[in-house]
Amino acid sequence: EISACLVGSEMCIRDSPNAMQKYRCTYCEYIYDPVSGDPEHNVGRYTPFDALPDDWVCPVCGRGKWAFDAMKEQKTSDI
């Protein structure tokens, strides 16, 4: 799976299957969803977490990217 995003004027192309993985802040539980991005901080939709600017911070508690952990995918089963 290949995904692309635009961060500022830089185009990022990711071929990682985890490119659209959600990340959770370990302090305030905010969930960064790359599908939504962070429009209030000029982060466009479909921006993978690892493509966020180095100075990006949690919009709720203000901690850096270091405070986030990747969330495990929840798989649904057909019952």
Side-chain angles (χ1 to χ4, degrees), residues 3-5 10 13 15 21 30-31 35 37 44 47-48 52 62-63 66 68-69 71 73 76 78:
S3 62
C5 66
E10 180 180 329
I13 297 175
D15 60 0
Q21 184 171 17
Y30 169 80
I31 296 174
V35 171
T47 301
L52 291 171
R63 290 187 168 78
W66 53 267
F68 284 75
D69 286 335
M71 296 177 64
E73 288 187 33
T76 57
D78 296 329

mmCIF file of all heavy atoms in Angstrom, residues 3-5 10 13 15 21 30-31 35 37 44 47-48 52 62-63 66 68-69 71 73 76 78:
data_model
loop_
_atom_site.group_PDB
_atom_site.id
_atom_site.type_symbol
_atom_site.label_atom_id
_atom_site.label_comp_id
_atom_site.label_asym_id
_atom_site.label_seq_id
_atom_site.Cartn_x
_atom_site.Cartn_y
_atom_site.Cartn_z
ATOM 1 N N SER A 3 0.963 5.449 0.246
ATOM 2 C CA SER A 3 0.189 6.633 0.592
ATOM 3 C C SER A 3 1.056 7.857 0.380
ATOM 4 O O SER A 3 2.270 7.781 0.403
ATOM 5 C CB SER A 3 -0.296 6.564 2.039
ATOM 6 O OG SER A 3 0.799 6.534 2.918
ATOM 7 N N ALA A 4 0.426 8.980 0.176
ATOM 8 C CA ALA A 4 1.146 10.231 -0.029
ATOM 9 C C ALA A 4 0.515 11.306 0.829
ATOM 10 O O ALA A 4 -0.670 11.259 1.141
ATOM 11 C CB ALA A 4 1.110 10.631 -1.493
ATOM 12 N N CYS A 5 1.330 12.266 1.223
ATOM 13 C CA CYS A 5 0.815 13.380 1.998
ATOM 14 C C CYS A 5 1.604 14.631 1.652
ATOM 15 O O CYS A 5 2.701 14.556 1.103
ATOM 16 C CB CYS A 5 0.905 13.101 3.497
ATOM 17 S SG CYS A 5 2.586 12.974 4.101
ATOM 18 N N GLU A 10 6.308 20.128 1.272
ATOM 19 C CA GLU A 10 7.062 18.892 1.060
ATOM 20 C C GLU A 10 6.115 17.721 0.840
ATOM 21 O O GLU A 10 5.196 17.492 1.619
ATOM 22 C CB GLU A 10 7.925 18.637 2.301
ATOM 23 C CG GLU A 10 8.752 17.386 2.221
ATOM 24 C CD GLU A 10 9.577 17.193 3.494
ATOM 25 O OE1 GLU A 10 9.956 18.187 4.114
ATOM 26 O OE2 GLU A 10 9.821 16.041 3.835
ATOM 27 N N ILE A 13 5.930 10.425 0.566
ATOM 28 C CA ILE A 13 5.342 9.201 0.034
ATOM 29 C C ILE A 13 5.753 8.063 0.946
ATOM 30 O O ILE A 13 6.919 7.878 1.249
ATOM 31 C CB ILE A 13 5.799 8.929 -1.409
ATOM 32 C CG1 ILE A 13 5.323 10.059 -2.308
ATOM 33 C CG2 ILE A 13 5.278 7.585 -1.887
ATOM 34 C CD1 ILE A 13 5.801 9.971 -3.722
ATOM 35 N N ASP A 15 5.311 3.906 1.791
ATOM 36 C CA ASP A 15 4.853 2.619 1.285
ATOM 37 C C ASP A 15 4.684 1.627 2.433
ATOM 38 O O ASP A 15 4.539 0.448 2.225
ATOM 39 C CB ASP A 15 5.796 2.071 0.216
ATOM 40 C CG ASP A 15 7.208 1.863 0.731
ATOM 41 O OD1 ASP A 15 7.469 2.137 1.916
ATOM 42 O OD2 ASP A 15 8.045 1.418 -0.068
ATOM 43 N N GLN A 21 -1.521 4.376 10.555
ATOM 44 C CA GLN A 21 -1.713 3.890 11.916
ATOM 45 C C GLN A 21 -1.989 5.052 12.866
ATOM 46 O O GLN A 21 -1.410 6.125 12.751
ATOM 47 C CB GLN A 21 -0.459 3.144 12.368
ATOM 48 C CG GLN A 21 -0.586 2.514 13.714
ATOM 49 C CD GLN A 21 0.588 1.614 14.025
ATOM 50 O OE1 GLN A 21 1.626 1.689 13.379
ATOM 51 N NE2 GLN A 21 0.435 0.761 15.005
ATOM 52 N N TYR A 30 -5.052 11.615 23.979
ATOM 53 C CA TYR A 30 -5.427 12.131 22.657
ATOM 54 C C TYR A 30 -4.983 11.125 21.597
ATOM 55 O O TYR A 30 -3.900 10.556 21.685
ATOM 56 C CB TYR A 30 -4.753 13.481 22.410
ATOM 57 C CG TYR A 30 -4.875 13.968 20.976
ATOM 58 C CD1 TYR A 30 -6.041 14.575 20.536
ATOM 59 C CD2 TYR A 30 -3.821 13.806 20.072
ATOM 60 C CE1 TYR A 30 -6.156 15.016 19.217
ATOM 61 C CE2 TYR A 30 -3.932 14.249 18.758
ATOM 62 C CZ TYR A 30 -5.100 14.849 18.339
ATOM 63 O OH TYR A 30 -5.216 15.281 17.045
ATOM 64 N N ILE A 31 -5.816 10.903 20.595
ATOM 65 C CA ILE A 31 -5.468 9.974 19.513
ATOM 66 C C ILE A 31 -5.237 10.770 18.244
ATOM 67 O O ILE A 31 -6.125 11.494 17.780
ATOM 68 C CB ILE A 31 -6.578 8.930 19.308
ATOM 69 C CG1 ILE A 31 -6.709 8.070 20.566
ATOM 70 C CG2 ILE A 31 -6.281 8.076 18.068
ATOM 71 C CD1 ILE A 31 -7.864 7.110 20.545
ATOM 72 N N VAL A 35 -5.780 9.985 9.109
ATOM 73 C CA VAL A 35 -6.836 10.237 8.129
ATOM 74 C C VAL A 35 -7.404 11.646 8.332
ATOM 75 O O VAL A 35 -7.689 12.355 7.383
ATOM 76 C CB VAL A 35 -7.943 9.165 8.222
ATOM 77 C CG1 VAL A 35 -9.138 9.536 7.365
ATOM 78 C CG2 VAL A 35 -7.393 7.809 7.812
ATOM 79 N N GLY A 37 -5.695 14.069 10.248
ATOM 80 C CA GLY A 37 -4.615 15.033 10.382
ATOM 81 C C GLY A 37 -4.830 15.910 11.608
ATOM 82 O O GLY A 37 -5.502 15.525 12.562
ATOM 83 N N GLY A 44 -2.183 18.358 7.244
ATOM 84 C CA GLY A 44 -3.245 17.923 6.359
ATOM 85 C C GLY A 44 -3.720 16.506 6.606
ATOM 86 O O GLY A 44 -3.072 15.713 7.297
ATOM 87 N N THR A 47 -1.795 12.493 6.699
ATOM 88 C CA THR A 47 -0.390 12.688 7.065
ATOM 89 C C THR A 47 -0.003 11.629 8.086
ATOM 90 O O THR A 47 -0.492 11.652 9.216
ATOM 91 C CB THR A 47 -0.163 14.092 7.665
ATOM 92 O OG1 THR A 47 -0.552 15.070 6.700
ATOM 93 C CG2 THR A 47 1.298 14.294 8.027
ATOM 94 N N PRO A 48 0.873 10.694 7.716
ATOM 95 C CA PRO A 48 1.312 9.667 8.671
ATOM 96 C C PRO A 48 2.016 10.309 9.865
ATOM 97 O O PRO A 48 2.620 11.378 9.755
ATOM 98 C CB PRO A 48 2.299 8.822 7.867
ATOM 99 C CG PRO A 48 2.020 9.135 6.443
ATOM 100 C CD PRO A 48 1.489 10.528 6.411
ATOM 101 N N LEU A 52 4.911 13.877 10.548
ATOM 102 C CA LEU A 52 4.620 15.114 11.266
ATOM 103 C C LEU A 52 5.917 15.891 11.486
ATOM 104 O O LEU A 52 6.973 15.287 11.675
ATOM 105 C CB LEU A 52 3.985 14.808 12.625
ATOM 106 C CG LEU A 52 2.574 14.233 12.604
ATOM 107 C CD1 LEU A 52 2.162 13.788 13.995
ATOM 108 C CD2 LEU A 52 1.588 15.244 12.053
ATOM 109 N N GLY A 62 0.182 19.381 24.830
ATOM 110 C CA GLY A 62 1.395 20.090 24.435
ATOM 111 C C GLY A 62 2.676 19.288 24.485
ATOM 112 O O GLY A 62 3.758 19.833 24.276
ATOM 113 N N ARG A 63 2.597 17.992 24.715
ATOM 114 C CA ARG A 63 3.813 17.168 24.737
ATOM 115 C C ARG A 63 4.196 16.785 23.311
ATOM 116 O O ARG A 63 3.370 16.737 22.427
ATOM 117 C CB ARG A 63 3.610 15.951 25.607
ATOM 118 C CG ARG A 63 3.521 16.388 27.083
ATOM 119 C CD ARG A 63 3.489 15.225 28.017
ATOM 120 N NE ARG A 63 3.680 15.628 29.394
ATOM 121 C CZ ARG A 63 2.757 16.168 30.171
ATOM 122 N NH1 ARG A 63 1.560 16.412 29.692
ATOM 123 N NH2 ARG A 63 3.006 16.476 31.417
ATOM 124 N N TRP A 66 7.398 12.326 21.084
ATOM 125 C CA TRP A 66 7.974 11.278 21.937
ATOM 126 C C TRP A 66 6.952 10.709 22.918
ATOM 127 O O TRP A 66 7.115 9.597 23.419
ATOM 128 C CB TRP A 66 9.184 11.820 22.709
ATOM 129 C CG TRP A 66 8.867 13.086 23.484
ATOM 130 C CD1 TRP A 66 9.039 14.372 23.046
ATOM 131 C CD2 TRP A 66 8.296 13.176 24.776
ATOM 132 N NE1 TRP A 66 8.609 15.265 24.001
ATOM 133 C CE2 TRP A 66 8.152 14.556 25.081
ATOM 134 C CE3 TRP A 66 7.887 12.246 25.731
ATOM 135 C CZ2 TRP A 66 7.627 15.020 26.283
ATOM 136 C CZ3 TRP A 66 7.360 12.714 26.931
ATOM 137 C CH2 TRP A 66 7.241 14.082 27.196
ATOM 138 N N PHE A 68 3.939 9.772 22.303
ATOM 139 C CA PHE A 68 2.929 8.969 21.624
ATOM 140 C C PHE A 68 3.386 7.538 21.404
ATOM 141 O O PHE A 68 4.552 7.298 21.108
ATOM 142 C CB PHE A 68 2.590 9.597 20.267
ATOM 143 C CG PHE A 68 1.700 10.809 20.383
ATOM 144 C CD1 PHE A 68 2.206 12.020 20.818
ATOM 145 C CD2 PHE A 68 0.359 10.725 20.060
ATOM 146 C CE1 PHE A 68 1.404 13.135 20.919
ATOM 147 C CE2 PHE A 68 -0.468 11.841 20.165
ATOM 148 C CZ PHE A 68 0.060 13.043 20.601
ATOM 149 N N ASP A 69 2.445 6.625 21.525
ATOM 150 C CA ASP A 69 2.679 5.206 21.224
ATOM 151 C C ASP A 69 1.726 4.780 20.112
ATOM 152 O O ASP A 69 0.563 5.208 20.089
ATOM 153 C CB ASP A 69 2.406 4.315 22.442
ATOM 154 C CG ASP A 69 3.497 4.414 23.494
ATOM 155 O OD1 ASP A 69 4.646 4.756 23.141
ATOM 156 O OD2 ASP A 69 3.194 4.147 24.674
ATOM 157 N N MET A 71 -0.898 2.656 18.233
ATOM 158 C CA MET A 71 -2.013 1.846 18.693
ATOM 159 C C MET A 71 -2.060 0.548 17.897
ATOM 160 O O MET A 71 -1.761 0.538 16.712
ATOM 161 C CB MET A 71 -3.328 2.613 18.516
ATOM 162 C CG MET A 71 -3.410 3.867 19.358
ATOM 163 S SD MET A 71 -4.938 4.794 19.069
ATOM 164 C CE MET A 71 -6.159 3.637 19.655
ATOM 165 N N GLU A 73 -3.854 -2.300 15.895
ATOM 166 C CA GLU A 73 -5.065 -2.332 15.072
ATOM 167 C C GLU A 73 -6.071 -3.281 15.688
ATOM 168 O O GLU A 73 -5.727 -4.359 16.135
ATOM 169 C CB GLU A 73 -4.731 -2.816 13.658
ATOM 170 C CG GLU A 73 -3.971 -1.809 12.848
ATOM 171 C CD GLU A 73 -3.810 -2.272 11.416
ATOM 172 O OE1 GLU A 73 -4.719 -2.949 10.910
ATOM 173 O OE2 GLU A 73 -2.778 -1.975 10.841
ATOM 174 N N THR A 76 -11.730 -6.707 13.208
ATOM 175 C CA THR A 76 -13.100 -7.193 13.417
ATOM 176 C C THR A 76 -13.218 -8.559 12.782
ATOM 177 O O THR A 76 -12.583 -8.859 11.778
ATOM 178 C CB THR A 76 -14.124 -6.232 12.790
ATOM 179 O OG1 THR A 76 -13.823 -6.088 11.394
ATOM 180 C CG2 THR A 76 -14.091 -4.878 13.473
ATOM 181 N N ASP A 78 -15.855 -11.632 11.381
ATOM 182 C CA ASP A 78 -17.205 -11.927 10.910
ATOM 183 C C ASP A 78 -17.760 -13.067 11.741
ATOM 184 O O ASP A 78 -17.247 -14.175 11.711
ATOM 185 C CB ASP A 78 -17.188 -12.319 9.434
ATOM 186 C CG ASP A 78 -16.718 -11.179 8.564
ATOM 187 O OD1 ASP A 78 -16.962 -10.007 8.922
ATOM 188 O OD2 ASP A 78 -16.107 -11.459 7.529
#
